[in-house]
Amino acid sequence: MQYLQHINSPDDLKKLSIEQLETVCSELREFIIEQLSNNPGHFGSSLGTVELTVALHYLYNTPYDRLVWDVGHQAYSHKILTGRRDRFSTNRKLGGLSGFTNPNESEYDTFAAGHASTSISAALGMAVAANLRKDMNRHIVAIIGDGSMTGGLAYEGINNACSQPNNLLIILNDNDMSIDNNVGGMQDYLVKLTTSAKYNKVRNNIYQGFKKRNLISEKEKNLVLRFNNSVKSLITKEQNLFEGFNIRYFGPVDGHDLPGLIRILRNIKDMQGPKLLHIKTIKGKGFRPAEKSATIWHSPGLFNKETGERILKNKQNQPQLYQDVFGHTLVEMAEENKNIVGVTPAMPTGCSMSFLANRFPNRTFDVGIAEAHAVTFSAGMAKEGLIPFCNIYSSFMQRAYDQVIHDVALQKLKVIFCLDRAGLVGPDGPTHHGVFDLAYLRPIPNLIISSPYNEHELRNLMHTAVYGNEGPFAIRYPRGQGEMTEWKNEPHILPIGKGRKLRKGKDIALLSIGAIGNNAARAIDEAEKSGISVAHYDMVFLKPIDQELLHKVARKFKYIITVEDGVVKGGLGSAVLEFLAENDYSDVHVLRIGIPDEFVTHGSVKELQQITGIDEEGILEHITRMYKETRGIHAHLQPPHNRINPVVQIHNR
């Protein structure tokens, strides 16, 4: 690397010529390809924003000027240029760099961005704050990816930007994944004209002259702006929706033309009022396989940088991924029932709804990054007698909470929510961990909440949701491999709200929900070798919870452990405590094992389960400590070192 190895901050970029900056762009691509071939991450998006990132840090005074990235996996070049090059090999690893922008990691990361469509709203807030504080020299730039423009929050932000005094610049990074309009000759001419400093100086002088003579008001200014945009659309015979807003629109321009980007950004940098620059980029730019298959190379895993061959693990005689079991089962069910449809917000491959799309394309709906719309859209179909399987990652479902309550549960509509990526998801970290779903769904009336112990139970629950229930139904399951190589069974209807005993025991009762129960089962096996007898119950349903089972357990056992891969506050453990309190059970010791009341970092799932104490060893340690308390060995049960899991004792009231 001729230049990149010497760039430790954006100030080092500013010392280089345009020709040297173009070499930096090439070196950045080589560096990203090299790093991600050995340490997987989000690949295509960051390759597409190399020139833009260099241009922004070259022209703007960061971190004083604010760059707000939408979906932080566009920002690998940004991280590398802002002092994190030598640590980039730790990206997404435990104790290493986050895969997304994180203000706790660097002052250059102005806003945490793991989910989509947030940049415009956040940047507008910063721009308004700068105005209120009379900090007129500070520039605010929102960089939003094309997929993020399918989210409603982005349009709410744009709409509000037109009505607030601000100088926000929105950069739309369009890589042909959803936004149209190609660059044309007349378009290029108009971009050069409208971004010209001379043109805009004359334009502003005319406006100020009209304003001094009271010949134009703010409202009339907006009408003129719309008229100008309409004239441009008429001349170029092209139109896009942004020109309908009262906002200066420039573009589209070539996002890989570094000298052109620098010229345009320099010209519009100090323009007053909100503005939008539309750039065209190629996702995966500079790596041929990624340019050809953007979806596959969004996050490809390990690959050979020379040949472009992806290095896939041998999956022979291995359990299927939970999402693949869901996908195959959904196709089976859709073949038998014409009313079944599938809905997903921009994750058909990730959640394996692509299987249904291949088999029944007219019954599969990818609505874009629009979780709230996905839920209400599903509700509308359910109202007309269809049976929608609405598959949304657990963490992303948080964005549709209002719609789950008002549009589905309140009306008792038969929408089947399949929450993929429940529990700890690994390298994507705290913005993606699906640890809140049990707690945030449990208070909602009319909603059944379930979680399968293994692949057979996942298929049974999907079957139950369709044929054994007439209202909303949630099934949450983890990312990654299941437990069984023979995952196919003949699905049957499960009794709603009924758990099951997996193992007899006499010293302690352990209640688990979902696939994390397999960790508990292995811990119980080890405990038995030490002479500790633990009864194991798979609750299956959090709501309605099996009260008959809980009565039996509470009457027989004074020591109960609950295990869940969700937050301990509000989930299974809380539900058990509520039951015991409401039914006057006294002298029952309850140990809740789950995710502590803190955001969990990124790392492998195995590492994170160990940290939070929900791995086999952590659960075994809890069992051993509780058993010692049953024998009076310790007066008080303390959580293991570095593991936060509250213990609650129910006494007579």
Side-chain angles (χ1 to χ4, degrees):
M1 293 186 293
Q2 185 177 0
Y3 299 110
L4 187 59
Q5 63 181 333
H6 302 297
I7 297 174
N8 298 307
S9 77
D11 287 341
D12 295 323
L13 276 181
K14 295 173 170 56
K15 303 171 185 176
L16 303 179
S17 67
I18 301 298
E19 291 75 17
Q20 290 171 325
L21 291 177
E22 291 183 302
T23 302
V24 170
C25 291
S26 298
E27 293 178 353
L28 269 171
R29 282 202 170 86
E30 291 176 12
F31 184 80
I32 291 172
I33 292 168
E34 167 68 29
Q35 290 288 317
L36 268 64
S37 67
N38 297 300
N39 179 31
H42 292 99
F43 186 71
S45 298
S46 281
L47 286 183
T49 57
V50 167
E51 286 83 7
L52 174 63
T53 307
V54 169
L56 288 171
H57 280 298
Y58 176 72
L59 284 172
Y60 287 89
N61 180 26
T62 58
Y64 172 74
D65 290 336
R66 309 300 197 199
L67 303 183
V68 185
W69 294 90
D70 209 298
V71 190
H73 55 62
Q74 292 186 97
Y76 284 1
S77 296
H78 161 81
K79 284 175 175 275
I80 294 164
L81 294 175
T82 53
R84 288 167 277 183
R85 178 193 64 246
D86 294 340
R87 290 188 294 144
F88 195 72
S89 61
T90 69
N91 190 45
R92 293 161 53 87
K93 294 180 179 178
L94 182 66
L97 297 179
S98 167
F100 304 98
T101 51
N102 182 353
N104 293 326
E105 183 179 290
S106 170
E107 63 180 337
Y108 289 93
D109 293 358
T110 59
F111 203 77
H115 290 184
S117 311
T118 58
S119 61
I120 297 174
S121 296
L124 177 60
M126 296 177 188
V128 169
N131 271 0
L132 289 174
R133 292 174 176 170
K134 308 299 182 186
D135 195 358
M136 309 313 292
N137 293 321
R138 171 168 283 163
H139 297 87
I140 314 293
V141 183
I143 305 102
I144 185 164
D146 58 322
S148 300
M149 288 305 302
T150 62
L153 183 62
Y155 296 96
E156 293 177 24
I158 290 175
N159 185 59
N160 191 218
C162 304
S163 60
Q164 299 288 339
N166 67 86
N167 297 321
L168 174 65
L169 170 60
I170 301 166
I171 297 179
L172 170 60
N173 171 31
D174 170 10
N175 53 25
D176 283 332
M177 297 298 285
S178 70
I179 309 294
D180 60 358
N181 288 346
N182 293 320
V183 178
M186 180 59 76
Q187 185 68 62
D188 287 342
Y189 169 76
L190 284 173
V191 169
K192 290 176 181 176
L193 171 64
T194 56
T195 60
S196 161
K198 290 182 179 179
Y199 165 83
N200 282 285
K201 183 177 181 181
V202 172
R203 187 177 184 276
N204 185 60
N205 288 340
I206 292 172
Y207 166 68
Q208 294 299 334
F210 276 32
K211 191 174 180 182
K212 285 180 181 179
R213 294 172 176 80
N214 295 319
L215 297 176
I216 189 170
S217 66
E218 188 65 25
K219 181 178 179 181
E220 289 164 335
K221 172 193 170 185
N222 289 334
L223 292 175
V224 171
L225 181 54
R226 287 193 179 191
F227 176 74
N228 288 345
N229 286 334
S230 298
V231 170
K232 188 170 80 170
S233 297
L234 180 65
I235 294 173
T236 61
K237 297 182 180 179
E238 292 184 352
Q239 186 176 14
N240 74 53
L241 61 92
F242 303 111
E243 292 171 347
F245 292 96
N246 295 327
I247 189 168
R248 296 289 301 277
Y249 171 84
F250 305 103
V253 299
D254 184 354
H256 299 303
D257 174 10
L258 182 65
L261 267 182
I262 290 174
R263 173 181 54 78
I264 291 168
L265 285 169
R266 181 181 283 122
N267 286 341
I268 67 176
K269 180 180 177 183
D270 295 316
M271 283 185 188
Q272 298 298 297
K275 46 209 166 285
L276 185 145
L277 175 62
H278 179 177
I279 70 170
K280 300 279 288 186
T281 63
I282 299 171
K283 194 169 184 177
K285 173 71 173 177
F287 193 71
R288 200 69 175 164
E291 292 181 16
K292 290 181 177 180
S293 303
T295 299
I296 292 174
W297 287 87
H298 173 71
S299 183
L302 295 171
F303 63 93
N304 185 313
K305 66 175 185 177
E306 304 297 336
T307 66
E309 181 183 1
R310 295 171 65 211
I311 303 171
L312 302 175
K313 295 180 180 178
N314 187 350
K315 294 185 178 180
Q316 290 183 348
N317 300 317
Q318 293 290 316
Q320 286 270 354
L321 300 175
Y322 272 104
Q323 57 262 37
D324 287 351
V325 173
F326 160 80
H328 290 305
T329 304
L330 184 60
V331 172
E332 289 176 25
M333 297 180 72
E335 286 175 339
E336 297 175 357
N337 190 330
K338 64 180 182 181
N339 288 323
I340 288 176
V341 295
V343 179
T344 183
M347 290 293 174
T349 303
C351 75
S352 295
M353 196 170 282
S354 52
F355 299 167
L356 184 69
N358 292 335
R359 179 68 179 85
F360 296 110
N362 293 334
R363 291 160 61 186
T364 309
F365 304 94
D366 178 359
V367 301
I369 302 177
E371 293 84 1
H373 166 63
V375 171
T376 303
F377 174 58
S378 298
M381 289 193 288
K383 190 72 172 64
E384 296 300 319
L386 297 179
I387 305 173
F389 276 79
C390 182
N391 191 308
I392 301 179
Y393 289 5
S394 170
S395 176
F396 296 175
M397 178 60 94
Q398 294 159 193
R399 308 179 70 159
Y401 192 62
D402 180 71
Q403 285 69 34
V404 173
I405 295 174
H406 288 172
D407 300 336
V408 177
L410 182 64
Q411 302 182 74
K412 299 182 181 179
L413 294 174
K414 189 170 180 171
V415 176
I416 301 165
F417 297 114
C418 293
L419 306 187
D420 197 343
R421 271 62 169 177
L424 297 167
V425 299
D428 282 336
T431 59
H432 285 60
H433 293 321
V435 297
F436 299 104
D437 50 11
L438 294 174
Y440 71 65
L441 290 176
R442 192 164 72 89
I444 302 176
N446 300 329
L447 178 63
I448 290 172
I449 307 168
S450 66
S451 189
Y453 183 79
N454 55 33
E455 298 93 309
H456 286 177
E457 291 300 285
L458 172 56
R459 286 166 60 83
N460 290 338
L461 286 169
M462 292 174 68
H463 191 78
T464 303
V466 173
Y467 299 109
N469 181 64
E470 290 306 319
F473 200 109
I475 309 170
R476 50 102 66 182
Y477 50 89
R479 179 183 188 177
Q481 286 185 330
E483 301 292 328
M484 315 166 77
T485 54
E486 298 296 328
W487 57 272
K488 277 195 174 184
N489 65 330
E490 188 64 37
H492 61 272
I493 297 174
L494 300 176
I496 302 290
K498 290 297 179 183
R500 56 182 185 148
K501 181 189 287 186
L502 298 178
R503 187 185 192 120
K504 294 180 180 179
K506 64 180 189 300
D507 297 322
I508 297 168
L510 187 148
L511 313 178
S512 66
I513 188 166
I516 196 66
N518 292 280
N519 282 5
R522 288 186 282 270
I524 291 170
D525 286 339
E526 291 301 312
E528 190 176 65
K529 295 176 183 178
S530 302
I532 305 173
S533 178
V534 180
H536 188 190
Y537 300 87
D538 173 25
M539 299 305 295
V540 185
F541 295 91
L542 178 63
K543 188 175 184 178
I545 199 163
D546 191 341
Q547 295 198 19
E548 182 181 0
L549 184 153
L550 291 179
H551 276 299
K552 289 179 180 178
V553 169
R555 289 168 186 154
K556 183 177 179 180
F557 297 92
K558 284 191 174 183
Y559 292 86
I560 297 173
I561 295 174
T562 63
V563 177
E564 56 199 305
D565 57 352
V567 292
V568 292
K569 293 185 180 295
L572 173 63
S574 295
V576 171
L577 288 175
E578 290 169 14
F579 170 84
L580 295 172
E582 290 165 1
N583 289 278
D584 293 314
Y585 285 101
S586 61
D587 299 323
V588 178
H589 299 249
V590 179
L591 168 62
R592 297 180 296 164
I593 300 176
I595 307 302
D597 188 24
E598 58 190 49
F599 290 106
V600 179
T601 185
H602 57 277
S604 71
V605 172
K606 183 177 181 180
E607 290 170 330
L608 300 183
Q609 286 188 350
Q610 191 277 328
I611 289 171
T612 55
I614 63 173
D615 62 334
E616 177 187 330
E617 291 75 16
I619 296 170
L620 175 61
E621 191 172 350
H622 284 302
I623 290 171
T624 302
R625 286 171 178 263
M626 177 167 269
Y627 177 74
K628 289 180 179 179
E629 182 172 324
T630 70
R631 295 296 184 263
I633 297 174
H634 293 294
H636 298 286
L637 180 63
Q638 298 295 328
H641 180 63
N642 286 339
R643 288 172 173 154
I644 306 171
N645 282 294
V647 180
V648 181
Q649 186 170 3
I650 305 293
H651 296 286
N652 285 324
R653 290 181 294 175

